[in-house]
Amino acid sequence: MVELHETAVSLGFFGDDLDPADVSNRLGATPTFGVAKGATWRTPRGSEQIARTGSWRLQVPRSIPGDLPGQVEAIFAPLTRDTAIWQELAARFAGRLFCGLFLEEGNEGLRICSKTLAEIADRGLYLDLDIYAPEGSKTHQVADK
């Protein structure tokens, strides 16, 4: 199995009554991005938007080659270890761990150890995997149309 080319990982909580400051307080860290429903925010391209729902997101830098376990560890390291807080937030705000998996070749893979899976499960999060085909592949070309 060829090592996965690149990975992107972020933690997110989403909900209409989500207060980003409260989530930050409870988890013990400031998000990369946080907004309450109805608040104004700017997209990366500078466009002003009104949030349709509240969100709290924490990202770690992308990794080349892919290092999903290391990125998951980096996401969780500065945050509380109190699983009761995590489970309550995850249940209330659809807590998720987003993982973008970017292929450079057609047959790449990764292994997720039981420790990493247990840390995700203990926090009540769901694992959201998006797999991106290599640029120039037939699948990639169809997706771009």
Side-chain angles (χ1 to χ4, degrees), residues 5 14 20-21 26 30 50 56 63 79 84 95 108 113 132 143-144:
H5 174 67
F14 308 90
R26 299 187 72 202
T30 302
I50 295 176
W56 187 99
S63 181
L79 305 175
E108 297 177 359
C113 66
Y132 300 91
D144 286 345

Side-chain angles (χ1 to χ4, degrees), residues 1-127:
M1 171 172 63
V2 175
E3 187 174 60
L4 190 65
H5 174 67
E6 181 178 359
T7 50
V9 176
S10 65
L11 169 67
F13 294 96
F14 308 90
D16 286 348
D17 64 338
L18 183 141
D19 173 5
D22 180 55
V23 175
S24 292
N25 248 2
R26 299 187 72 202
L27 290 179
T30 302
T32 307
F33 176 82
V35 66
K37 179 179 179 174
T40 302
W41 62 281
R42 291 204 177 273
T43 69
R45 294 184 181 198
S47 159
E48 195 170 277
Q49 302 285 321
I50 295 176
R52 289 183 280 188
T53 193
S55 71
W56 187 99
R57 291 177 275 171
L58 181 62
Q59 293 177 203
V60 293
R62 287 183 175 214
S63 181
I64 300 175
D67 181 17
L68 187 64
Q71 290 169 293
V72 171
E73 185 177 318
I75 285 269
F76 292 154
L79 305 175
T80 184
R81 295 195 178 280
D82 186 337
T83 56
I85 290 172
W86 279 97
Q87 290 174 5
E88 191 271 326
L89 288 172
R92 187 171 171 201
F93 299 121
R96 75 170 186 165
L97 191 67
F98 169 83
C99 304
L101 312 175
F102 299 87
L103 306 178
E104 187 173 61
E105 299 178 21
N107 186 23
E108 297 177 359
L110 78 152
R111 179 173 291 149
I112 305 172
C113 66
S114 58
K115 178 183 179 272
T116 301
L117 292 171
E119 288 178 358
I120 296 166
D122 288 347
R123 288 165 172 82
L125 303 171
Y126 67 88
L127 185 60

